[in-house]
Amino acid sequence: MATTYTLIASSTVGSGGSATITFSSIPATYTDLKVVFSTRSTSSAESPFNNQRLRFNSDTGNNYSVRGLFGDGGSVSSGTNSDTSILYNYANANNTTSNTFSNGEIYIPNYTSSNQKSVSIDGVVENNATSAFANFTAGRWTGTAAITTISLTDANGSFVQYSTAYLYGISNA
């Protein structure tokens, strides 16, 4: 069980938005990492919810795999995918209820090990209308280097102003 959480870095998107939220120079002094996010997209391409993606160490190769479980209050679906990033969240699209943000957590155990890295993710989206969405994802990055950079991107647009992400280091006693 984790005994301490230490805030390593935080990011709040400013005026004009941002295509990417990046945490770099992550120290190798913890056992696990956790990212807590609250985001919204400038795009309406996949309305009402837009894809948001996760990468490690700037790796853009087809080195990620995902197994996800998704629910919208009326149905449940699942999927498996190999890709150039991990789909970590479906964020509120620009045309959903204004000032409503999706949120969730990304947990990365053993991020400094020389093995492939596993990731567990949970996220929720609320539209204050007829749509709501929850996702639970297990992901894997085939890289064996310690994770030193984490990048979050909006697949179809940018993160809107006031989107936030916090990176925590977790130490086990």
Side-chain angles (χ1 to χ4, degrees), residues 3 13 17 24 29 33 52 55 69 81 101 123 142 145 152-153:
T3 56
V13 174
S24 58
T29 54
L33 297 173
Q52 295 186 327
R55 284 196 175 115
L69 177 64
N81 191 16
F101 288 66
T142 60
L152 310 175
T153 59

Side-chain angles (χ1 to χ4, degrees), residues 3-170:
T3 56
T4 63
Y5 282 63
T6 303
L7 181 63
I8 298 172
S10 65
S11 179
T12 300
V13 174
S15 177
S18 178
T20 304
I21 295 172
T22 300
F23 297 111
S24 58
S25 302
I26 299 170
T29 54
Y30 304 98
T31 54
D32 305 335
L33 297 173
K34 184 177 193 176
V35 177
V36 179
F37 61 86
S38 177
T39 56
R40 183 178 173 89
S41 177
T42 60
S43 176
S44 298
E46 297 180 50
S47 182
F49 311 124
N50 278 299
N51 291 336
Q52 295 186 327
R53 301 203 164 264
L54 167 68
R55 284 196 175 115
F56 300 119
N57 295 358
S58 303
D59 182 356
T60 59
N62 192 14
N63 299 316
Y64 303 87
S65 59
V66 173
R67 181 170 299 262
L69 177 64
F70 316 99
D72 65 6
S75 63
V76 176
S77 62
S78 64
T80 302
N81 191 16
S82 292
D83 207 337
T84 59
S85 60
I86 293 174
L87 172 65
Y88 76 89
N89 190 41
Y90 292 100
N92 285 77
N94 191 42
N95 61 345
T96 61
T97 305
S98 62
N99 300 317
T100 303
F101 288 66
S102 66
N103 60 74
E105 297 181 350
I106 302 166
Y107 189 79
I108 309 160
N110 303 313
Y111 73 103
T112 61
S113 78
S114 58
N115 297 318
Q116 297 179 14
K117 309 304 184 288
S118 63
V119 180
S120 62
I121 305 163
D122 64 274
V124 294
V125 182
E126 172 67 49
N127 190 18
N128 293 346
T130 59
S131 300
F133 194 80
N135 63 282
F136 302 96
T137 304
R140 179 176 56 95
W141 175 51
T142 60
T144 56
I147 294 173
T148 58
T149 303
I150 298 173
S151 298
L152 310 175
T153 59
D154 188 281
N156 299 301
S158 296
F159 298 107
V160 301
Q161 183 177 13
Y162 306 119
S163 291
T164 59
Y166 298 88
L167 175 65
Y168 293 92
I170 301 173

